[in-house]
Amino acid sequence: DAGVIQSPRHEVTEMGQEVTLRCKPISGHDYLFWYRQTMMRGLELLIYFNNNVPIDDSGMPEDRFSAKMPNASFSTLKIQPSEPRDSAVYFCASSLEQGEAFFGQGTRLTVV
Amino acid sequence: AQTVTQSQPEMSVQEAETVTLSCTYDTSESNYYLFWYKQPPSRQMILVIRQEAYKQQNATENRFSVNFQKAAKSFSLKISDSQLGDTAMYFCAYGNRDDKIIFGKGTRLHILP
């Protein structure tokens, strides 16, 4: 398996634009997590899914953030409208029955 | 709610020395997992070692070992014979079945030549 695949690796966008981050988890994994990493706040869990169903979205900072998992092999995290304070590295991770999380390479988002 | 605390924001040690990174956690669960992840400058998150709470024996992976004290809710990572390639951010993490995996804020480790 190629591991967790995220795209894009880097994204620069203007304030107010919509941003969509994509994730392909490891095949067979039943948990998917979206994390955000910043210097100030560290690694924050935004939302996680179990068998494509959102279980806990309490970490989603605002209504501007939304996440979907339409099937077992794909998830998106959308920010609309984006703001400069959303600049961070966004990680997707997947796991099997709550074993260790396998991370993607992350997407570095810069909102100018 | 579960929490993970890493009290050392940054550490520096000389190459070949042994270093211990601290981690404490809080949970009311009896069955759970603990992990240490390494994040080098490439930003890739790499699992270093894992420990199942039901196992009394401390996990070991080559130069990496843990000191798991369940009653004290402590989970420290020891790196022996440290190498320059060990320079990275280290995260302690907690997870259990049917629940999320949460991370501490990390310890930035510098191995000095």
Side-chain angles (χ1 to χ4, degrees):
Chain A
D1 199 312
V4 177
I5 299 173
Q6 290 186 247
S7 64
R9 290 291 306 277
H10 305 275
E11 177 80 30
V12 180
T13 190
E14 292 186 346
M15 182 174 62
Q17 296 297 307
E18 177 180 295
V19 175
T20 299
L21 310 182
R22 297 173 175 80
C23 175
K24 180 180 177 357
I26 292 173
S27 176
H29 281 191
D30 53 355
Y31 284 85
L32 184 140
F33 306 87
W34 282 101
Y35 291 91
R36 178 173 68 175
Q37 185 178 28
T38 61
M39 289 290 290
M40 291 296 294
R41 302 172 73 93
L43 201 60
E44 301 173 276
L45 177 65
L46 300 178
I47 185 172
Y48 78 100
F49 296 83
N50 177 217
N51 292 320
N52 315 338
V53 176
I55 303 300
D56 184 350
D57 65 353
S58 60
M60 297 286 260
E62 299 171 35
D63 291 344
R64 299 184 295 107
F65 286 70
S66 63
K68 294 181 180 179
M69 192 165 185
N71 56 62
S73 59
F74 184 66
S75 178
T76 59
L77 178 67
K78 184 177 295 186
I79 309 172
Q80 165 63 18
S82 57
E83 297 183 3
R85 61 195 167 115
D86 301 331
S87 297
V89 178
Y90 291 82
F91 284 100
C92 175
S94 69
S95 73
L96 182 63
E97 293 182 350
Q98 281 297 311
E100 61 264 32
F102 291 81
F103 281 76
Q105 294 274 58
T107 296
R108 180 176 294 281
L109 173 64
T110 303
V111 183
V112 298
Chain B
Q2 294 90 354
T3 59
V4 177
T5 302
Q6 294 179 249
S7 58
Q8 305 150 310
E10 197 159 0
M11 299 180 70
S12 296
V13 296
Q14 294 293 137
E15 190 178 7
E17 290 185 350
T18 294
V19 59
T20 299
L21 309 183
S22 301
C23 173
T24 58
Y25 59 95
D26 191 23
T27 183
S28 58
E29 302 291 330
S30 57
N31 293 321
Y32 50 88
Y33 306 87
L34 296 164
F35 311 97
W36 278 98
Y37 282 84
K38 169 184 177 180
Q39 186 181 40
S42 66
R43 88 170 181 237
Q44 178 67 48
M45 293 286 284
I46 302 164
L47 179 70
V48 174
I49 199 165
R50 63 175 281 168
Q51 174 85 40
E52 287 85 356
Y54 67 87
K55 291 185 178 178
Q56 292 187 337
Q57 186 172 9
N58 289 324
T60 299
E61 287 288 340
N62 301 313
R63 296 182 296 107
F64 299 86
S65 62
V66 298
N67 184 3
F68 174 47
Q69 301 289 328
K70 191 171 184 179
K73 296 180 181 175
S74 170
F75 183 61
S76 61
L77 174 70
K78 185 172 83 171
I79 306 175
S80 303
D81 185 27
S82 57
Q83 300 175 358
L84 296 179
D86 297 331
T87 291
M89 194 78 166
Y90 286 82
F91 293 95
C92 179
Y94 165 98
N96 61 35
R97 291 187 68 87
D98 304 321
D99 205 353
K100 54 196 170 189
I101 298 174
I102 58 173
F103 287 78
K105 292 200 177 299
T107 295
R108 188 172 298 280
L109 177 64
H110 302 274
I111 307 299
L112 307 174

